[in-house]
Amino acid sequence: MPIVVDVDVMLAKRKMSVGELAERVGITPANLAVLKNGRAKAVRFTTLAALCEALACQPGDLLRWEPEGPP
């Protein structure tokens, strides 16, 4: 998928565990793992906003686009 989720990068920068982030955001650690591992098909803006608030970052710090192959 061309959208890459960098939640793990921000977790490492903030020295925060998946469980702590899940608790702060109000989602289960399993659902956060789905997002973190790039298996999510969608993310709600409210969840994205909560992630940004908990990690003190911008949406662009968590999501980026990468082309899938040669143009």
Side-chain angles (χ1 to χ4, degrees):
M1 174 182 272
I3 300 296
V4 178
V5 181
D6 287 328
V7 170
D8 53 343
V9 173
M10 290 306 297
L11 281 170
K13 285 182 179 179
R14 302 296 188 253
K15 296 182 172 112
M16 189 181 299
S17 70
V18 171
E20 182 182 350
L21 180 59
E23 185 176 315
R24 287 186 184 192
V25 173
I27 61 175
T28 66
N31 283 339
L32 184 55
V34 167
L35 178 63
K36 186 174 86 72
N37 295 326
R39 295 189 317 259
K41 301 259 188 242
V43 61
R44 293 178 183 202
F45 283 155
T46 54
T47 302
L48 184 58
L51 286 167
C52 290
E53 184 176 350
L55 293 168
C57 67
Q58 294 293 313
D61 297 325
L62 300 176
L63 303 172
R64 63 188 160 88
W65 176 80
E66 286 188 357
E68 283 193 276

